[in-house]
Amino acid sequence: MIIFISGMIRSGSTLHLNMVQDILTTANISFDASYVETFEDIKAVYEKKQDSTRVQILKFHFFDSRMSALLSDPDIHAFYVYRNSLDMAASLIRKTSSSFEEHLPGIKSAIETKYHFLAESNLNVSRYEDIFISGQLELAKIARVLKLEISPQKIVELADDLTLAAQKDRLQKMDYVKVEVPGDSLWTSNQDEEGTKFLLLNPERNLHHDHITSDGTPGRWIDTLEPEQASRVLMLESEAASKNISSLQAAHRKELSQAAGSRAKSEEQLKQLSTEVDAMRAKLESAYSENTEVRADLENARSENEAVCEENINLINAREALTKQLQTEELKIHALERDKVELNATLTELDQNYTQLETDFHEVTKKAQELELNVTSAARRILALKESTEIKSNVISKLLSSVEQKESLISKLHTENSRLKEENASSRAETEALRELFEKSAQRNAQRYDHLDGAGSKGLIHKFRRLLHSFTIRRHIRRIRNSEYFNGEWYLQKYPDLKASSVDPAAHYFKYGGREGRAASLDFCSQSYLLKYPDVRVSNLNPLLHYINRGKEEGRTAFPVREAAGDDPEEK
């Protein structure tokens, strides 16, 4: 399908294009729209129509007689829009800064082109004034011509979106592409800093900023054209109409001549045709005479133009008032329809809510009955609980009395335990004193035996010293094991290599672990102690044993593993 969109300049052809685009978009039909300037461009698209699955929309303002053959194709739908020539001329002048004289050739061409189009039979013609009054009717007409079914509600929505105010608002929001035009063009007065003329065009809607420069109301030419200028436009209108009549006369004569040549064998038919030709000539001469009278009337109309203009203004104002009233009534109708839809929706929702309320009421009634049964059952249980509570209170009183007696006994046991601990500590102190006395006695005896000679005496001394050394080591290991700073279980968990060998953790720490820097527990880091106190490290003493025997009394610090993790090689 190919769609032609044409019309007089400044007469709403672009608005008509937007209407066609909106109708196709609503019907989910894909299309391509383009602006053509020659008949060859139209012919090129027409020849490729079988290869395209998309609708092709061609917009143009020129006329070519070769179009007549294309318009007879059922796959082509042609639309033409025109308006009052005076309004067209006034809109063209308002659009640019050019004078009336500069625009006069373009005005003449537009009027002549209009009559060429109006002479075509396969053409859908619309007047801008009718579109201005009711865009809905025009949209419905386009849908009917294109054989597309569009709902009335959608027609109303599309028409609201194509009002003059909506078009101006759309122009403000669109993104535009700068398009240069020839310097002698009268289509725009926009110029950049270099003096180049340009248009700001929106490719999506084929609109530019110069499309809407006034309120678009028909009859506003009176604000722009002088009476003399209006008369000249009317004269051009008359001349174009006359030329169109002459053209139609010549075409008819040609058809008569061809008919006469093909019917040369029948003299009666020739005479009849001659009579018809003479009659037609008489009619044409009469029409020409009437056209001359029309010209004279136009001359006379110049003097009456001001009164006619004033009357036109009054009529236009009245029509505007009626149009606004009609639009207001239509808006009221739309509002009432929307209110009706909303009310129907509200009623439906209320019906659903009422049904739900009935269901909820039945459920609540059922639950109330269940609650009554539960309350009766609960009252019975409460009575039973009260009786059980009285019995349990008596039992609890007896238990409390028993607990008080046991607490008194426990207090006595704690007191006895404290006394035994004190006695145990005293016994440990006495035992330690006896051990030290024994060691001193053993050392004195060893010194005495050093003066004895003979192998027997030496062997006895050696055994005594070895026994003394073994006793001392066991005492040191015992002190480490009983120290609060050593944890045997933690030591074996910390160093898995010892856990597998089943060694005594205290003995291993005394003999090897302390010097290797292994931690005795989380509360004592051996390596940190040796690093802090070099004298202990040089003397090759066990760090924990040194701290227990002397370091703590000297005020030295026991470093916990968690504070010295950076110094513990096992933690690194």
Side-chain angles (χ1 to χ4, degrees):
M1 182 191 297
I2 300 177
I3 300 175
F4 292 166
I5 304 293
S6 186
M8 294 178 73
I9 53 176
R10 307 302 299 170
S11 298
S13 58
T14 302
L15 172 61
H16 212 255
L17 169 63
N18 293 159
M19 286 182 166
V20 172
Q21 291 174 324
D22 289 346
I23 289 291
L24 292 176
T25 301
T26 302
N28 296 321
I29 296 176
S30 58
F31 60 86
D32 296 316
S34 57
Y35 184 85
V36 295
E37 297 183 351
T38 64
F39 178 76
E40 282 68 25
D41 296 334
I42 297 175
K43 186 177 180 182
V45 174
Y46 179 77
E47 291 175 349
K48 296 179 181 179
K49 71 173 184 174
Q50 301 297 335
D51 300 332
S52 177
T53 58
R54 299 167 62 90
V55 174
Q56 302 297 316
I57 304 176
L58 304 180
K59 183 176 182 293
F60 51 90
H61 289 290
F62 65 89
F63 177 81
D64 192 300
S65 59
R66 291 174 289 181
M67 293 180 186
S68 299
L70 298 181
L71 294 178
S72 61
D73 190 327
D75 289 335
I76 293 180
H77 300 284
F79 296 91
Y80 182 78
V81 183
Y82 73 97
R83 72 189 301 186
N84 182 289
S85 298
L86 295 173
D87 279 329
M88 178 271 295
S91 177
L92 190 62
I93 293 171
R94 283 196 302 268
K95 186 173 74 73
T96 65
S97 59
S98 303
S99 65
F100 175 80
E101 295 297 332
E102 291 177 300
H103 280 296
L104 195 59
I107 295 170
K108 180 181 179 181
S109 175
I111 294 174
E112 291 176 349
T113 301
K114 176 182 75 171
Y115 281 100
H116 286 311
F117 272 106
L118 293 179
E120 295 294 331
S121 57
N122 298 314
L123 190 68
N124 298 284
V125 180
S126 300
R127 293 175 68 250
Y128 172 77
E129 289 79 1
D130 297 331
I131 299 174
F132 185 86
I133 293 173
S134 179
Q136 299 179 17
L137 295 177
E138 188 64 25
L139 286 166
K141 172 185 173 182
I142 294 171
R144 185 173 62 257
V145 170
L146 299 180
K147 299 179 181 178
L148 299 175
E149 293 185 3
I150 308 296
S151 66
Q153 183 179 0
K154 191 62 180 178
I155 291 291
V156 172
E157 292 177 4
L158 295 178
D160 291 342
D161 191 48
L162 291 170
T163 60
L164 190 64
Q167 292 181 68
K168 289 185 177 181
D169 182 62
R170 187 184 298 112
L171 284 173
Q172 296 298 324
K173 297 177 181 178
M174 284 183 176
D175 294 329
Y176 293 90
V177 178
K178 186 176 180 180
V179 179
E180 293 186 6
V181 296
D184 58 349
S185 174
L186 300 178
W187 286 99
T188 182
S189 59
N190 297 331
Q191 292 187 7
D192 57 20
E193 296 179 355
E194 299 177 357
T196 303
K197 286 189 174 183
F198 66 89
L199 284 174
L200 291 177
L201 179 69
N202 175 263
E204 180 183 353
R205 302 290 293 190
N206 202 23
L207 289 174
H208 55 74
H209 273 292
D210 289 338
H211 263 116
I212 301 176
T213 55
S214 67
D215 63 3
T217 305
R220 291 298 302 275
W221 60 268
I222 193 67
D223 298 333
T224 303
L225 299 179
E226 298 294 335
E228 183 180 354
Q229 294 173 343
S231 298
R232 295 180 67 179
V233 172
L234 292 174
M235 184 62 69
L236 291 174
E237 183 89 23
S238 176
E239 291 175 357
S242 299
K243 288 181 180 179
N244 191 57
I245 292 173
S246 300
S247 176
L248 290 174
Q249 290 174 347
H252 194 60
R253 289 193 189 103
K254 184 176 180 180
E255 291 176 359
L256 290 175
S257 177
Q258 291 175 352
S262 63
R263 299 173 183 175
K265 296 180 181 181
S266 177
E267 294 181 359
E268 292 182 1
Q269 291 180 349
L270 284 174
K271 290 180 181 180
Q272 184 178 357
L273 288 173
S274 297
T275 303
E276 291 179 358
V277 168
D278 291 339
M280 183 61 68
R281 286 177 179 174
K283 291 181 181 180
L284 291 174
E285 290 175 358
S286 175
Y288 182 78
S289 176
E290 291 177 359
N291 187 41
T292 304
E293 293 176 359
V294 170
R295 289 185 180 180
D297 292 338
L298 287 173
E299 293 293 335
N300 295 331
R302 290 182 182 179
S303 59
E304 300 175 358
N305 189 44
E306 293 182 0
V308 172
C309 290
E310 184 177 357
E311 184 179 356
N312 285 337
I313 291 172
N314 294 332
L315 291 173
I316 290 169
N317 291 334
R319 186 168 62 183
E320 287 180 353
L322 290 173
T323 301
K324 291 179 180 179
Q325 184 178 358
L326 177 62
Q327 292 175 348
T328 302
E329 293 300 325
E330 289 178 348
L331 291 174
K332 289 181 179 179
I333 292 172
H334 296 329
L336 289 173
E337 289 179 350
R338 286 194 293 268
D339 292 342
K340 181 180 177 182
V341 173
E342 292 176 357
L343 286 173
N344 288 334
T346 303
L347 288 173
T348 302
E349 184 178 357
L350 288 174
D351 290 339
Q352 293 174 352
N353 292 339
Y354 179 76
T355 303
Q356 184 63 36
L357 285 173
E358 285 185 338
T359 304
D360 294 342
F361 176 76
H362 292 310
E363 291 180 356
V364 167
T365 303
K366 184 177 180 181
K367 289 181 179 178
Q369 294 173 353
E370 292 176 356
L371 285 173
E372 288 180 359
L373 295 175
N374 292 337
V375 167
T376 304
S377 177
R380 293 174 181 172
R381 291 179 183 176
I382 290 171
L383 291 175
L385 286 173
K386 283 183 178 180
E387 295 175 356
S388 176
T389 301
E390 292 176 356
I391 296 172
K392 290 180 179 179
S393 296
N394 296 330
V395 175
I396 289 170
S397 298
K398 293 179 181 179
L399 289 174
L400 288 174
S401 177
S402 176
V403 167
E404 290 175 356
Q405 293 175 0
K406 290 181 179 180
E407 285 180 348
S408 176
L409 179 60
I410 289 170
S411 177
K412 292 178 181 179
L413 292 174
H414 279 307
T415 303
E416 182 66 19
N417 186 39
S418 299
R419 187 182 65 79
L420 292 174
K421 284 183 178 179
E422 291 176 358
E423 292 178 357
N424 187 31
S426 177
S427 298
R428 285 184 180 179
E430 292 175 358
T431 302
E432 189 65 28
L434 289 173
R435 285 177 181 173
E436 291 179 359
L437 181 62
F438 177 79
E439 288 177 1
K440 291 178 181 179
S441 176
Q443 290 175 357
R444 284 195 302 269
N445 292 330
Q447 291 174 0
R448 291 174 186 176
Y449 290 140
D450 287 342
H451 298 91
L452 296 177
D453 296 329
S457 61
K458 289 183 179 179
L460 181 61
I461 293 170
H462 179 71
K463 289 180 179 180
F464 182 78
R465 285 180 176 174
R466 191 168 53 187
L467 179 63
L468 179 63
H469 179 70
S470 174
F471 177 79
T472 303
I473 288 175
R474 286 196 299 272
R475 183 171 60 86
H476 290 336
I477 292 173
R478 187 166 54 254
R479 295 206 69 183
I480 289 174
R481 182 182 294 110
N482 295 332
S483 172
E484 62 179 319
Y485 295 97
F486 183 79
N487 187 328
E489 293 182 3
W490 181 89
Y491 188 78
L492 293 177
Q493 291 292 333
K494 177 69 176 177
Y495 306 107
D497 58 318
L498 304 179
K499 189 175 182 181
S501 61
S502 301
V503 299
D504 179 10
H508 182 275
Y509 177 76
F510 171 75
K511 294 177 181 179
Y512 312 107
R515 295 178 182 83
E516 292 173 356
R518 302 199 187 203
S521 67
L522 286 173
D523 297 324
F524 190 86
C525 179
S526 302
Q527 185 167 356
S528 299
Y529 192 84
L530 293 174
L531 290 174
K532 179 66 176 179
Y533 305 110
D535 59 319
V536 179
R537 184 173 68 254
V538 172
S539 64
N540 201 28
L541 296 175
N542 184 280
L544 178 56
L545 189 62
H546 179 273
Y547 179 74
I548 296 170
N549 292 336
R550 298 174 55 188
K552 189 172 183 179
E553 294 179 358
E554 294 173 357
R556 304 198 187 203
T557 304
F559 298 96
V561 172
R562 53 182 171 272
E563 295 184 1
D567 298 328
D568 187 358
E570 297 298 331
E571 295 290 334
K572 292 183 180 179

